[in-house]
Amino acid sequence: MIQEFKEFAMKGNVVDLAVGVIIGAAFGKIVESLVGDVFMPIIGAVVGGLDFSNYFVGLSSAVTATSLADAKKQGAVLAYGNFLTIAINFLIIAFILFLVIKAVNRLKKKEEEKPAPVAEVPQDVKLLGEIRDLLAGSQARL
């Protein structure tokens, strides 16, 4: 059973998937930082200096705090600002993946369009062809 698991775990697809998941997690962190630290402050400045991460609605009368962290301590809140940030993250990741897949498909299409390389005919096959043609020519004269 251990040997079978070892063979499964070392297959190329499993290792490729593991590498993809690790790179995807790191890429997700980069996009999260890009959205949270670059895009959202710019969008907030454009719409009046608002911070989207603190947009929330208290779902009970006990929630009186003005920051999301404090409001969560007081009771249930609907944190639509966080949702908006995560939705923007998703759109950025989806768009980047679209561009990557589009580029890969373009490369595959170029590979398919290339003509197959013509194999060099070996010298002995050329000689045999010449002999055949000479024999065919001499029989035509008879």
Side-chain angles (χ1 to χ4, degrees), residues 68-127:
L68 180 60
D70 293 336
K72 284 183 176 182
K73 292 176 187 174
Q74 293 177 343
V77 294
L78 181 65
Y80 66 90
N82 279 341
F83 175 76
L84 183 61
T85 301
I86 291 170
I88 291 173
N89 281 348
F90 171 77
L91 291 174
I92 291 171
I93 290 172
F95 181 69
I96 290 172
L97 288 176
F98 168 75
L99 293 177
V100 168
I101 291 171
K102 187 175 179 178
V104 168
N105 287 341
R106 188 178 307 133
L107 289 175
K108 283 183 182 179
K109 187 175 180 181
K110 284 183 182 178
E111 282 293 320
E112 290 172 0
E113 290 176 357
K114 286 183 181 177
V118 179
E120 178 82 21
V121 179
Q123 188 65 28
D124 56 345
V125 174
K126 284 182 183 178
L127 283 172

Side-chain angles (χ1 to χ4, degrees), residues 21-53:
V21 167
I22 293 168
I23 290 174
F27 181 71
K29 296 274 186 190
I30 291 170
V31 172
E32 184 178 322
S33 175
L34 179 68
V35 171
D37 299 333
V38 178
F39 290 149
M40 293 311 263
I42 292 171
I43 292 171
V46 168
V47 295
L50 303 173
D51 180 15
F52 285 103
S53 64

